Each structure stands twice: as structure tokens, then as C-alpha cells.
Amino acid sequence: MIKRIGKRTLALENRPYLLGHAAAVGKKEGEGPLGERFDYVAKNDRMGQRSWELAESELQKTAIRLALRKATLPERSLDLILAGDLLNQCIGSFLASMHANVPYLGQYGACSTMAQGLALGGCLVESGAADRLLAAASSHFCSAERQYRFPLAYGGQRTPTAQWTATAAGAAVLGSEPVPNGAEPCDVRVTHVLFGKMVEMGVTDAANMGAAMAPEDVNLDPYIFRCAERCVLHKIRYYHNHPLVFPLERTETENRQSPLIPSWRQGGLYLCKCFSYLNTAEASG
């Protein structure tokens, strides 16, 4: 049963299980600090394909295959596949699941596609519309450049505000019950769903997509915000020894308007205008 809390938060009574998950990334992402934690790192971003779009599709297909393998489930056991990407008509996701013989629901939420798929998937499993389903999302730097900016072969110069789209794909299997003798322990469950809303801050730089999307990332329900705030504050206090105070007395309006704007000062992480310090003058100086 789904219970509404506030205006946008949904509580899932039966709490669907995360049966398996996997992440497949490109060569550059594999060389980063999280490289060892990915399930698959491509040696070549072409993935053996003749186009970047096909390479992205192959990357998503790899993530789906690994997630199902970790859940010890065959593809035919799925009731639905919810997947999306950044390409026209979600062609990468369509090609990745074209031969699965499973109903496919295309998702397009840009950077929120994976969260959107998990949120909708959680609701579908909770309602009984599906017993097991898979949510997936992918992107590819080279296909995104052609889609939103200029093809790499054009040789155009990138603007200073242009972000670097990740070459990566993720997949997660949700189910109403744990898999008997499953390879992955089912200790992660979907308890709540929070659907975002559009927040327009007047960003006009077409290359700076991150700035346009960032405002909604911190426009959270007060309950979710405070839970996340506690976790972040604990980590900051542990790693940087900052005497922080949990600002739980703030009003709902203040919580919704608190911008998470990170800035680095003296080797420590300060979250400006968001968290309260015992000595505000010292923290801001």
C-alpha cells in the first residue's frame, strides 16, 4: 500500500527489495577514484561497435546483464523494463532491451532518469502491477556531445562551463520478495519515493546544464532533507572535526530554500547557507 506524506513524498508499506544492481562505465570513469567499485570498466569506449550510440546501447546491455546475474534471475522473469538515456527516442535503451521479450517503458528525465525509473518501479512493485522489474539508465560522452553540442569530429572548442557527460550505465532489479538463495543479500529496500518538480532559476547558458538542474537537487521535502542533513553533518564532523549543530528547528520554507552550495576553504568542506555552525563568524572566515 502506498501512503502519501505531505505533498510529494510516498511511503511504500511493503518496501520493495533491491534484488541486484550493476554499474558499467567507460575507460575514463574507470581511471577515477571509484574505478575499483564498478562492476565493469570498458577498455575502449567504442565497445566494439561502429557508432557511439550503439556503444552506449552495448554499455547499458552490459549493466542489465550483470544486474540480472547478480540477482540470479533470468531476463524472462521480469515483468517490466524501465530504461532511458539522453538520445532521441531513447534509442540506446530501446536497442539494449529490444530482444528481451519484456514490456519496455521508456524513461526520459535527463540526469534524473535512473531515480525516476527506481521511483516509478518502486510504486509499480508496491501496487502489485509488477512482481519484478528492472530500471536502467545510460549516457555516453561522445553520443551526448553529438546530441547536445557538436560532434567530436567537428573539432569545436568546449566552453568553460560545459560539463563532461559520463560514459556509464546502471541497472537495478526490484522485486516484491527476495530471491531464494540469491547471490546478492536483499538488505536494501525502497521505503519512500519523492518526485521532484521543476525549479527555474533563469540560467541562460545552454552549455551549463548542471547549473540549470542543480536547484531542484536541493528542493527536498523537509523530512528527507533533515535525514540527509544529519548524515552529511556527521561525515563532515568526523572527517574535518567541525563543531556543527543540526539545524532541525528551521521552518519548512527555510529547509526548502536552503541551497547546498559547496565551497572549499582551508582544506575543509563548508556547505554555505545550509548548515549552522557554533561559531558562524569563524566558519565563514
Side-chain angles (χ1 to χ4, degrees):
M1 181 178 177
I2 301 176
K3 179 182 179 181
R4 180 177 293 278
I5 302 176
K7 294 184 66 176
R8 294 189 289 151
T9 302
L10 305 177
L12 309 186
E13 181 180 350
N14 297 318
R15 301 186 298 168
Y17 292 85
L18 178 65
L19 305 180
H21 59 89
V25 302
K27 183 174 182 293
K28 182 181 181 68
E29 288 71 18
E31 295 170 349
L34 300 178
E36 295 182 354
R37 303 185 67 86
F38 297 123
D39 297 278
Y40 174 85
V41 178
K43 296 180 179 179
N44 187 300
D45 288 353
R46 277 282 189 180
M47 296 287 293
Q49 304 299 314
R50 64 179 184 272
S51 72
W52 300 122
E53 289 76 13
L54 287 173
E56 179 176 344
S57 177
E58 186 65 25
L59 198 63
Q60 186 179 130
K61 190 184 301 182
T62 300
I64 292 174
R65 183 171 62 249
L66 291 174
L68 288 169
R69 182 186 302 171
K70 292 168 71 174
T72 64
L73 290 171
E75 205 166 41
R76 64 178 179 274
S77 68
L78 299 174
D79 298 315
L80 294 168
I81 293 178
L82 289 76
D85 51 68
L86 297 174
L87 305 178
N88 285 335
Q89 289 84 44
C90 293
I91 188 66
S93 303
F94 159 71
L95 292 174
S97 301
M98 181 171 57
H99 299 296
N101 197 28
V102 175
Y104 166 78
L105 299 177
Q107 307 294 304
Y108 193 92
C111 291
S112 68
T113 297
M114 190 67 205
Q116 176 179 305
L118 287 171
L120 291 173
C123 292
L124 288 167
V125 173
E126 178 73 15
S127 69
D131 184 40
R132 295 187 186 123
L133 57 80
L134 180 140
S138 64
S139 62
H140 196 295
F141 171 73
C142 299
S143 64
E145 286 295 295
R146 176 152 57 191
Q147 179 80 43
Y148 295 101
R149 297 186 179 101
F150 299 103
L152 297 183
Y154 178 77
Q157 185 170 349
R158 294 171 57 81
T159 65
T161 57
Q163 281 83 42
W164 188 285
T165 304
T167 298
V173 183
L174 299 181
S176 58
E177 298 289 342
V179 179
N181 303 317
E184 290 250 314
C186 296
D187 54 357
V188 178
R189 303 173 72 174
V190 182
T191 62
H192 295 78
V193 168
L194 171 60
F195 292 108
K197 64 181 181 181
M198 292 182 285
V199 178
E200 174 57 46
M201 299 290 287
V203 177
T204 59
D205 184 355
N208 195 356
M209 301 179 189
M213 293 183 285
E216 167 51 20
D217 291 342
V218 297
N219 187 46
L220 306 177
D221 270 6
Y223 171 77
I224 303 295
F225 180 88
R226 287 196 289 266
C227 290
E229 189 173 49
R230 286 177 180 272
C231 178
V232 172
L233 285 170
H234 276 305
K235 290 182 181 296
I236 292 175
R237 185 169 59 180
Y238 177 80
Y239 288 110
H240 302 288
N241 196 27
H242 291 160
L244 306 178
V245 175
F246 297 134
L248 301 184
E249 69 281 358
R250 288 204 303 261
T251 66
E252 177 177 336
T253 301
E254 288 172 330
N255 271 334
R256 289 182 179 277
Q257 294 176 346
S258 296
L260 285 168
I261 306 174
S263 61
W264 292 94
R265 294 183 181 178
Q266 302 175 355
L269 177 61
Y270 292 87
L271 298 181
C272 304
K273 300 181 182 179
C274 182
F275 301 138
S276 300
Y277 294 82
L278 287 177
N279 190 334
T280 307
E282 178 183 341
S284 61

